[in-house]
Protein backbone atom coordinates (compact mmCIF):
# COMPACT_ATOMS: atom_id res chain seq x y z
CA UNK A 1 0.00 0.00 0.00
CA UNK A 2 1.29 3.45 -0.94
CA UNK A 3 2.15 5.56 2.09
CA UNK A 4 3.49 9.00 2.88
CA UNK A 5 4.76 9.87 6.36
CA UNK A 6 5.76 13.37 7.37
CA UNK A 7 7.80 14.38 10.39
CA UNK A 8 7.76 16.15 12.67
CA UNK A 9 4.02 16.82 13.09
CA UNK A 10 4.80 20.29 14.38
CA UNK A 11 7.93 22.41 14.43
CA UNK A 12 8.56 25.70 16.18
CA UNK A 13 11.52 27.79 15.05
CA UNK A 14 12.89 31.17 15.89
CA UNK A 15 13.21 33.59 13.02
CA UNK A 16 16.49 32.84 11.24
CA UNK A 17 16.78 29.30 12.67
CA UNK A 18 17.18 26.93 9.71
CA UNK A 19 15.71 23.43 9.78
CA UNK A 20 14.32 20.61 7.63
CA UNK A 21 11.01 18.82 7.25
CA UNK A 22 10.93 15.17 6.27
CA UNK A 23 8.63 13.23 3.95
CA UNK A 24 9.22 9.50 3.64
CA UNK A 25 7.28 7.57 1.03
CA UNK A 26 6.49 4.06 -0.08
CA UNK A 27 5.01 3.88 -3.56
CA UNK A 28 5.26 1.49 -6.48
CA UNK A 29 6.86 3.46 -9.29
CA UNK A 30 7.32 7.08 -8.23
CA UNK A 31 5.65 9.46 -10.70
CA UNK A 32 6.56 12.62 -8.88
CA UNK A 33 6.61 13.94 -5.32
CA UNK A 34 4.84 17.21 -4.59
CA UNK A 35 5.28 19.76 -1.82
CA UNK A 36 2.48 22.14 -0.92
CA UNK A 37 2.13 24.96 1.59
CA UNK A 38 -1.26 25.49 3.21
CA UNK A 39 -2.32 28.49 5.28
CA UNK A 40 -5.26 28.07 7.69
CA UNK A 41 -8.62 28.05 5.91
CA UNK A 42 -7.05 28.26 2.44
CA UNK A 43 -6.29 25.81 -0.35
CA UNK A 44 -2.86 24.20 -0.65
CA UNK A 45 -0.38 26.24 -2.65
CA UNK A 46 1.87 24.24 -4.97
CA UNK A 47 5.57 24.61 -4.22
CA UNK A 48 7.66 21.92 -5.93
CA UNK A 49 7.60 18.73 -7.97
CA UNK A 50 10.51 16.31 -7.74
CA UNK A 51 10.76 13.32 -10.08
CA UNK A 52 14.05 11.53 -9.51
CA UNK A 53 16.55 10.85 -6.75
CA UNK A 54 19.16 13.57 -6.51
CA UNK A 55 16.87 16.25 -7.85
CA UNK A 56 16.76 19.57 -6.00
CA UNK A 57 14.50 22.60 -6.42
CA UNK A 58 14.66 25.99 -4.73
CA UNK A 59 12.31 28.87 -4.17
CA UNK A 60 13.31 31.77 -1.96
CA UNK A 61 14.14 30.29 1.48
CA UNK A 62 12.91 26.80 0.58
CA UNK A 63 14.85 23.96 -0.99
CA UNK A 64 13.37 20.53 -1.69
CA UNK A 65 15.50 17.42 -2.22
CA UNK A 66 14.64 13.84 -3.12
CA UNK A 67 16.20 10.44 -2.42
CA UNK A 68 14.83 7.00 -3.26
CA UNK A 69 12.97 6.81 0.03
CA UNK A 70 12.36 10.35 1.24
CA UNK A 71 12.25 14.03 0.51
CA UNK A 72 13.39 16.94 2.60
CA UNK A 73 12.13 20.49 2.63
CA UNK A 74 14.95 22.67 3.91
CA UNK A 75 14.03 26.08 5.24
CA UNK A 76 16.91 28.54 5.46
CA UNK A 77 16.68 31.56 7.76
CA UNK A 78 12.87 31.33 8.04
CA UNK A 79 10.65 34.34 8.60
CA UNK A 80 7.31 34.47 10.45
CA UNK A 81 5.51 34.55 7.08
CA UNK A 82 6.83 31.03 6.41
CA UNK A 83 4.51 29.76 9.14
CA UNK A 84 2.09 27.31 7.55
CA UNK A 85 1.36 23.61 7.22
CA UNK A 86 3.57 21.92 4.66
CA UNK A 87 2.08 18.92 2.87
CA UNK A 88 3.87 16.25 0.89
CA UNK A 89 2.04 14.05 -1.64
CA UNK A 90 2.72 11.36 -4.25
CA UNK A 91 0.47 9.98 -6.99
CA UNK A 92 -0.90 6.59 -6.04
CA UNK A 93 0.52 3.91 -8.32
CA UNK A 94 -1.51 3.60 -11.54
CA UNK A 95 -4.10 6.12 -10.36
CA UNK A 96 -5.07 9.77 -10.58
CA UNK A 97 -5.24 9.90 -6.79
CA UNK A 98 -2.75 11.71 -4.57
CA UNK A 99 -1.58 10.14 -1.33
CA UNK A 100 -0.97 12.93 1.17
CA UNK A 101 1.09 12.95 4.31
CA UNK A 102 -0.54 14.40 7.42
CA UNK A 103 1.56 17.53 7.13
CA UNK A 104 4.04 19.43 9.26
CA UNK A 105 2.77 22.55 10.98
CA UNK A 106 5.59 25.07 11.00
CA UNK A 107 5.53 28.07 13.33
CA UNK A 108 8.26 30.68 13.03
CA UNK A 109 8.43 33.09 15.94
CA UNK A 110 9.81 36.60 15.49
CA UNK B 1 -1.42 31.71 -14.73
CA UNK B 2 -2.06 28.85 -12.31
CA UNK B 3 -5.35 30.04 -10.86
CA UNK B 4 -8.29 27.92 -9.86
CA UNK B 5 -11.27 29.92 -8.62
CA UNK B 6 -14.05 28.71 -6.34
CA UNK B 7 -17.35 30.26 -5.37
CA UNK B 8 -18.74 30.94 -2.90
CA UNK B 9 -15.99 31.44 -0.33
CA UNK B 10 -18.34 30.65 2.52
CA UNK B 11 -21.67 28.84 2.58
CA UNK B 12 -24.07 28.16 5.43
CA UNK B 13 -26.94 25.82 4.66
CA UNK B 14 -29.62 23.92 6.47
CA UNK B 15 -30.04 20.19 6.20
CA UNK B 16 -33.00 20.54 3.84
CA UNK B 17 -31.40 23.05 1.47
CA UNK B 18 -30.01 22.50 -2.00
CA UNK B 19 -26.94 24.45 -2.96
CA UNK B 20 -24.04 24.22 -5.41
CA UNK B 21 -20.32 24.88 -5.28
CA UNK B 22 -18.58 26.12 -8.38
CA UNK B 23 -14.99 25.72 -9.57
CA UNK B 24 -13.40 27.23 -12.65
CA UNK B 25 -9.97 27.08 -14.30
CA UNK B 26 -8.71 28.52 -17.56
CA UNK B 27 -5.36 26.76 -17.73
CA UNK B 28 -6.51 24.16 -20.25
CA UNK B 29 -6.30 21.44 -17.62
CA UNK B 30 -8.29 18.29 -18.43
CA UNK B 31 -8.39 16.68 -14.99
CA UNK B 32 -10.42 18.26 -12.18
CA UNK B 33 -10.91 17.15 -8.61
CA UNK B 34 -13.13 17.70 -5.60
CA UNK B 35 -11.64 17.25 -2.14
CA UNK B 36 -13.06 17.56 1.36
CA UNK B 37 -10.80 18.76 4.15
CA UNK B 38 -11.50 18.65 7.87
CA UNK B 39 -9.49 20.65 10.38
CA UNK B 40 -5.93 19.43 10.92
CA UNK B 41 -6.31 16.69 8.30
CA UNK B 42 -4.97 16.45 4.75
CA UNK B 43 -7.38 16.82 1.82
CA UNK B 44 -9.55 13.76 1.21
CA UNK B 45 -10.40 12.93 -2.40
CA UNK B 46 -14.09 12.85 -3.35
CA UNK B 47 -14.32 12.87 -7.16
CA UNK B 48 -12.09 13.02 -10.22
CA UNK B 49 -13.12 14.14 -13.69
CA UNK B 50 -10.79 13.30 -16.53
CA UNK B 51 -11.57 14.81 -19.94
CA UNK B 52 -15.03 15.77 -18.65
CA UNK B 53 -15.88 12.20 -17.65
CA UNK B 54 -16.22 11.03 -14.05
CA UNK B 55 -13.30 8.67 -13.52
CA UNK B 56 -13.17 8.29 -9.74
CA UNK B 57 -15.92 8.42 -7.11
CA UNK B 58 -14.48 7.63 -3.70
CA UNK B 59 -17.73 6.09 -2.45
CA UNK B 60 -19.12 9.53 -1.69
CA UNK B 61 -22.73 9.67 -0.38
CA UNK B 62 -25.30 10.54 -3.05
CA UNK B 63 -26.15 13.80 -1.27
CA UNK B 64 -23.04 15.07 -3.07
CA UNK B 65 -23.49 15.18 -6.85
CA UNK B 66 -20.65 16.34 -9.12
CA UNK B 67 -21.06 17.80 -12.57
CA UNK B 68 -18.54 18.82 -15.24
CA UNK B 69 -20.38 20.91 -17.86
CA UNK B 70 -17.20 21.65 -19.82
CA UNK B 71 -13.43 21.38 -19.54
CA UNK B 72 -13.15 24.62 -17.52
CA UNK B 73 -15.99 24.21 -15.06
CA UNK B 74 -16.74 21.84 -12.22
CA UNK B 75 -19.78 21.93 -9.95
CA UNK B 76 -20.66 20.11 -6.76
CA UNK B 77 -24.37 19.94 -6.03
CA UNK B 78 -25.33 19.55 -2.40
CA UNK B 79 -28.64 18.24 -1.05
CA UNK B 80 -29.83 17.07 2.36
CA UNK B 81 -26.42 17.41 3.95
CA UNK B 82 -25.59 16.48 7.51
CA UNK B 83 -23.74 18.62 10.08
CA UNK B 84 -20.74 16.29 9.77
CA UNK B 85 -20.41 17.40 6.14
CA UNK B 86 -19.23 20.79 7.37
CA UNK B 87 -15.69 21.21 6.04
CA UNK B 88 -13.47 23.07 3.59
CA UNK B 89 -14.26 21.90 0.05
CA UNK B 90 -11.38 22.19 -2.35
CA UNK B 91 -11.26 22.02 -6.10
CA UNK B 92 -8.06 21.18 -7.96
CA UNK B 93 -6.97 20.71 -11.53
CA UNK B 94 -4.01 19.36 -13.44
CA UNK B 95 -2.86 19.10 -17.00
CA UNK B 96 -4.16 15.62 -17.73
CA UNK B 97 -3.19 12.02 -17.19
CA UNK B 98 0.10 11.32 -15.51
CA UNK B 99 2.03 12.51 -12.51
CA UNK B 100 1.74 16.27 -12.94
CA UNK B 101 1.10 18.50 -9.98
CA UNK B 102 -2.42 19.54 -9.01
CA UNK B 103 -3.28 23.19 -8.51
CA UNK B 104 -5.82 23.93 -5.80
CA UNK B 105 -8.41 26.62 -5.48
CA UNK B 106 -8.92 28.66 -2.31
CA UNK B 107 -11.76 26.46 -1.13
CA UNK B 108 -15.35 26.92 0.01
CA UNK B 109 -15.94 26.83 3.76
CA UNK B 110 -19.23 24.95 4.19
CA UNK B 111 -21.22 24.94 7.41
CA UNK B 112 -24.30 22.72 7.67
CA UNK B 113 -26.71 23.71 10.43
Amino acid sequence: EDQVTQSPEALRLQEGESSSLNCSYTVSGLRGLFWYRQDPGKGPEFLFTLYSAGEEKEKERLKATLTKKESFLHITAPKPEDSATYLCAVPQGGSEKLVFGKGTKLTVNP
Amino acid sequence: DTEVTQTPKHLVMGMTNKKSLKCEQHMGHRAMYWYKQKAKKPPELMFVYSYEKLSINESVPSRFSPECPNSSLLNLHLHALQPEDSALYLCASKVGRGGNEQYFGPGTRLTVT
Side-chain angles (χ1 to χ4, degrees):
Chain A
E1 183 184 338
D2 298 338
Q3 279 192 318
V4 176
T5 304
Q6 290 188 247
S7 62
E9 287 185 17
L11 180 62
R12 284 186 176 272
L13 299 173
Q14 288 298 122
E15 185 171 2
E17 179 187 3
S18 302
S19 188
S20 297
L21 313 183
N22 178 265
C23 169
S24 61
Y25 62 91
T26 306
V27 64
S28 52
L30 184 67
R31 295 182 292 129
L33 183 142
F34 310 118
W35 281 100
Y36 290 89
R37 168 200 170 120
Q38 187 172 25
D39 293 304
K42 298 190 178 180
E45 174 191 348
F46 169 72
L47 294 173
F48 304 111
T49 303
L50 301 167
Y51 285 107
S52 55
E55 190 175 359
E56 299 183 351
K57 292 217 175 145
E58 286 189 67
K59 180 180 178 181
E60 296 179 359
R61 294 176 292 281
L62 301 177
K63 182 166 99 172
T65 61
L66 182 66
T67 73
K68 288 185 178 179
K69 294 182 179 180
E70 58 193 347
S71 177
F72 293 93
L73 186 65
H74 307 278
I75 302 176
T76 302
K79 298 182 177 183
E81 52 262 42
D82 295 322
S83 298
T85 294
Y86 290 85
L87 294 165
C88 170
V90 298
Q92 189 175 56
S95 165
E96 291 296 319
K97 293 172 60 173
L98 282 183
V99 180
F100 282 92
K102 293 184 178 180
T104 293
K105 182 177 180 180
L106 174 66
T107 304
V108 182
N109 296 314
Chain B
D1 182 15
T2 56
E3 188 177 25
V4 176
T5 59
Q6 289 187 244
T7 54
K9 289 184 180 179
H10 302 276
L11 179 61
V12 179
M13 59 185 289
M15 291 190 285
T16 59
N17 291 158
K18 285 185 181 182
K19 296 285 184 182
S20 297
L21 309 184
K22 178 180 171 181
C23 172
E24 202 160 2
Q25 57 86 15
H26 295 287
M27 297 178 279
H29 289 176
R30 302 307 298 272
M32 296 185 76
Y33 304 73
W34 280 116
Y35 288 88
K36 173 182 177 180
Q37 189 176 27
K38 292 280 209 178
K40 299 184 180 181
K41 299 283 188 182
E44 178 185 339
L45 184 65
M46 300 175 71
F47 303 103
V48 181
Y49 274 84
S50 181
Y51 293 82
E52 293 94 67
K53 289 187 180 0
L54 183 65
S55 60
I56 296 177
N57 176 342
E58 288 288 284
S59 302
V60 178
S62 60
R63 57 186 184 269
F64 295 90
S65 175
E67 179 194 19
C68 188
N70 59 58
S71 60
S72 300
L73 191 55
L74 188 66
N75 297 319
L76 186 63
H77 304 296
L78 313 172
H79 173 56
L81 295 192
Q82 304 296 310
E84 59 264 29
D85 296 322
S86 299
L88 182 68
Y89 287 83
L90 296 164
C91 174
S93 71
K94 76 176 178 77
V95 170
R97 299 188 182 94
N100 314 86
E101 58 273 5
Q102 294 181 22
Y103 292 92
F104 285 83
T108 293
R109 170 66 63 189
L110 174 67
T111 304
V112 182
T113 61

